[in-house]
Structure formats: C-alpha cells, structure tokens
Amino acid sequence: MRGFFYNRCLNFQSVICISFYHPTDTECNCFPRASAIGRIFMTYQEFKENVTTVIKNQLGSNVKVTIQEIIKNNDTHYDGLTILSNQLNISPTIYLNFYFKQYLKGRSLEEICHDILSVYEENKPSGNIDISFFTNYEQVKKRIVFKLINYEQNKNLLQKIPHIKILDLAIIFNCLVDADETGNATILIYNQHLSLWNITKDDLYHLAMKNTPALLTYELRDMSDVLIELMAGVPCNSMKEEFEYMVPMYVLSNKSKLNGSGCIFYHNLLHNLCEKLECDLYILPSSIHEVILLLDYEYVQGSEELQQMVRETNRMVVDQEEVLSDHIYHYDREKDEIRIAK
C-alpha cells in the first residue's frame, strides 16, 4: 500500500509540495523480471530525463514538470518529480528513486510513467493553499508543534533550524497546517522565522509542549492488539494463546501515527502510565513515528539485549529516513526522568 507524508512550503517557497513515498525494497519483489535478463539499461540520469520528457508530453503545456533533490530526515536524499499546474501553488512531488529500482528489475518505462501519472491524477490538488497566515505570529502560535529526530544524523539540518538537544535526540518545531486521516501538513520552522516573529527558541519550546498533546493526541495500544491487526487471517484463538505468555508491551504514537515518537515527552503521560502499572519502563525507539514501551520487570531481558534488537531492526527493517535512534531509554517514575539505558 502506498503511503505519503505531507511536506508543504519550506522556507516561504511559493510552491507547496506533497511528497509521495513508495514501498521499500523489502516490501517489493526482490527478483528481476525475466524481461530484465540481457537487457541494456539506461543510466539513472537518462532514466530521470526520459521520465520527465514522457510526463511533459502527456500533460502538455499547462503544467511544469521538474526534478529536484530533496533532503529528508537522517540526511537521506531523494529525487522528486514535481508536477505543478500553472494555476496552483501546490504540487505533488513523486520520488523517482524507487521507480528506478523497479526499472532495473525489468519494469518498463511505459509502465512506470503510467503509474506516476496515476498517482498524480489521484492526488492532484483541487485548489491553492493560502499560506499568508504564516507571516502572522498570532495566527501561527496556536499551531506550533514538535517532533523528534536523531541529533547526530541531522547535524546539517540542525544548523538551520531552532532545536533542543535532549539525550541523543533533537526536538524540532513545525507549524501544523492541517491534519486528517491521510497525514499531517506541516511547515518546518527555520531560524529566520524566529526573527520574523520576534520570538526565541524557548518561546517555541513552551508553545509546542502545550500545543502538541492537544493537536496531535496520543494513542497507546497493547502490542497484542497491534499484532492481531497486522496478522489478519491468522486464526485468532492460536494467536491469543501465544499472546498470553508475552511480556506486556505497548505501542505509543499519536492518532495519525506520523512522527509520534515525541509522545514520550507529553506532560505526565509516562508518569501516569507508570503509576497505574506500578513499574518503570523501557522505551524502544521503533521509528520516528512510534515507540514501544516495555515494562521494567525483573524477568525482562537486559538493556544490552534490547539495544542489540533495536540496532538490528533499524538496519534490516526500518527505512533509513525513519530511524530515530540505536539506543534504548529508561523511564524512572520516581525521578520522572528519561535517560539512555546502560
């Protein structure tokens, strides 16, 4: 299933982009088609040029088709095909990196361009978005929210944006333009925005800590319920019997399940949960979108084993762009403190 996050209007650009993500290699057929055997392939540069030409010819002169390099979380780089209508200030951006991998496995250029056009037609905007509000701090301040990213992996970006370093992570700030079942539309806040609004980084922090839990409410689910949902089709009785012997675990995110790892810093959330459960917690960073909470019982495996499990999962399962940390964390309910587990 194709998912997508929204990215709109960075640095006061007049064009707003909606970025589409595609399944990773582990979600796709890893074997080349028979048609790929003995075939002479285009280089990646030739592939991008040919895709652009085909899309332009199909859509005509009423749209502008361009490719730009897009740098995402953890310094990951993508080539985004942007299709902008002459009458609009918002455009879909469709990443070509995935399509080139499919091309090398035997998928034809014609099929790929047809798929790109289908994505565009299904998701093209119906009108402009008014972003003039973004210059007015009084309108913006109620929409400022935060999210978590890895500090070391994003040092280049962090030089340009206000942030708070905490543990091995960084709290960064967005303006939440819109949120619905398809995702969150956000504007990343840069250092120059603080000057524009005449505020400080601390002002941002306090606003975000107040706004985020209200605008992006948390969702806490029992791991067994999540697994049952993911393993639809497996006989429920056998699954439930297996889950009876599981160490209690919970998945914490926000309602949209996007950039929900920051919920660990929602005021009193972990404290109240630990008081109810009468124990401390291990926090396993599943991704930037969610964390796994593991009760700190005596029979739980040591933190070294848990950390090794997180490292292996990050390398083998999680997309590089979505990795939060290789460390695990421990929440002490008496101190009301999160630390890196040793």
Side-chain angles (χ1 to χ4, degrees):
M1 183 176 69
R2 180 179 293 113
F4 61 92
F5 301 113
Y6 287 93
N7 273 317
R8 294 180 180 168
C9 189
L10 302 182
N11 268 335
F12 292 118
Q13 294 176 1
S14 59
V15 175
I16 306 170
C17 299
I18 306 176
S19 302
F20 293 87
Y21 288 70
H22 297 281
T24 63
D25 290 339
T26 56
E27 296 172 316
C28 302
N29 181 11
C30 295
F31 301 100
R33 299 183 183 183
S35 59
I37 300 174
R39 177 177 166 189
I40 298 176
F41 293 98
M42 292 180 278
T43 65
Y44 184 44
Q45 182 61 34
E46 291 170 337
F47 172 81
K48 291 189 292 182
E49 292 172 357
N50 277 277
V51 168
T52 303
T53 299
V54 172
I55 299 300
K56 283 180 177 178
N57 291 338
Q58 290 285 332
L59 295 178
S61 59
N62 290 328
V63 300
K64 182 179 180 181
V65 182
T66 58
I67 294 178
Q68 57 182 329
E69 183 183 44
I70 298 172
I71 302 175
K72 305 294 286 185
N73 187 48
N74 292 336
D75 204 31
T76 50
H77 295 239
Y78 294 94
D79 289 302
L81 181 81
T82 300
I83 304 173
L84 178 64
S85 171
N86 294 336
Q87 291 79 35
L88 300 176
N89 69 343
I90 180 171
S91 68
T93 297
I94 302 169
Y95 295 143
L96 297 182
N97 310 67
F98 160 78
Y99 283 116
F100 185 64
K101 292 177 181 179
Q102 291 299 293
Y103 167 73
L104 293 178
K105 293 173 185 175
R107 196 175 186 195
S108 70
L109 183 68
E110 181 182 4
E111 288 179 308
I112 288 170
C113 290
H114 181 270
D115 191 28
I116 290 172
L117 288 168
S118 295
V119 171
Y120 171 71
E121 291 297 332
E122 290 170 8
N123 300 280
K124 66 180 179 182
S126 56
N128 288 314
I129 290 183
D130 180 10
I131 58 171
S132 60
F133 78 92
F134 197 61
T135 61
N136 186 332
Y137 176 63
E138 291 302 314
Q139 294 187 45
V140 169
K141 67 179 183 180
K142 294 182 180 180
R143 307 185 191 190
I144 291 172
V145 296
F146 75 88
K147 71 174 184 177
L148 290 182
I149 61 175
N150 185 276
Y151 182 84
E152 289 295 328
Q153 295 297 317
N154 292 280
K155 280 191 170 180
N156 290 334
L157 172 65
L158 293 175
Q159 293 176 10
K160 307 172 186 176
I161 63 175
H163 64 278
I164 305 289
K165 187 178 187 301
I166 184 166
L167 305 171
D168 62 331
L169 308 172
I171 293 175
I172 66 173
F173 306 98
N174 289 319
C175 174
L176 183 65
V177 178
D178 191 18
D180 57 31
E181 67 278 0
T182 64
N184 300 330
T186 61
I187 302 172
L188 181 62
I189 295 175
Y190 282 77
N191 291 329
Q192 59 263 39
H193 297 148
L194 299 187
S195 300
L196 174 70
W197 298 328
N198 193 28
I199 62 171
T200 66
K201 180 174 66 176
D202 288 340
D203 293 330
L204 270 186
Y205 175 78
H206 292 301
L207 283 170
M209 286 297 160
K210 176 183 177 182
N211 293 339
T212 312
L215 297 175
L216 301 172
T217 54
Y218 80 89
E219 181 177 76
L220 184 68
R221 302 182 65 193
D222 190 287
M223 177 63 83
S224 60
D225 294 333
V226 175
L227 292 176
I228 288 174
E229 182 179 293
L230 292 175
M231 299 172 66
V234 178
C236 291
N237 290 337
S238 62
M239 291 173 64
K240 290 179 178 178
E241 290 174 2
E242 292 289 334
F243 294 151
E244 288 179 2
Y245 300 98
M246 280 180 56
V247 175
M249 289 186 287
Y250 301 90
V251 178
L252 175 64
S253 184
N254 53 38
K255 294 287 187 183
S256 66
K257 300 179 177 63
L258 295 174
N259 297 305
S261 59
C263 291
I264 62 174
F265 292 116
Y266 284 12
H267 181 62
N268 277 340
L269 195 160
L270 295 184
H271 176 76
N272 292 340
L273 177 62
C274 287
E275 288 296 304
K276 180 179 179 180
L277 298 173
E278 299 183 341
C279 69
D280 294 345
L281 291 170
Y282 282 110
I283 303 170
L284 280 59
S286 176
S287 75
I288 58 173
H289 303 301
E290 70 283 309
V291 299
I292 296 173
L293 304 180
L294 180 64
L295 278 59
D296 184 10
Y297 288 153
E298 291 182 2
Y299 56 82
V300 171
Q301 59 186 314
S303 59
E304 290 185 8
E305 289 81 2
L306 292 174
Q307 185 163 304
Q308 181 61 30
M309 181 180 69
V310 169
R311 284 199 194 102
E312 292 176 356
T313 301
N314 284 342
R315 300 298 176 270
M316 300 174 64
V317 179
V318 184
D319 287 350
Q320 175 61 25
E321 182 191 339
E322 299 188 348
V323 171
L324 180 61
S325 175
D326 282 342
H327 292 112
I328 66 168
Y329 310 97
H330 186 268
Y331 176 75
D332 186 318
R333 57 182 169 139
E334 290 188 2
K335 297 180 179 180
D336 188 23
E337 177 183 80
I338 298 176
R339 60 176 177 81
I340 296 176
K342 303 296 184 182

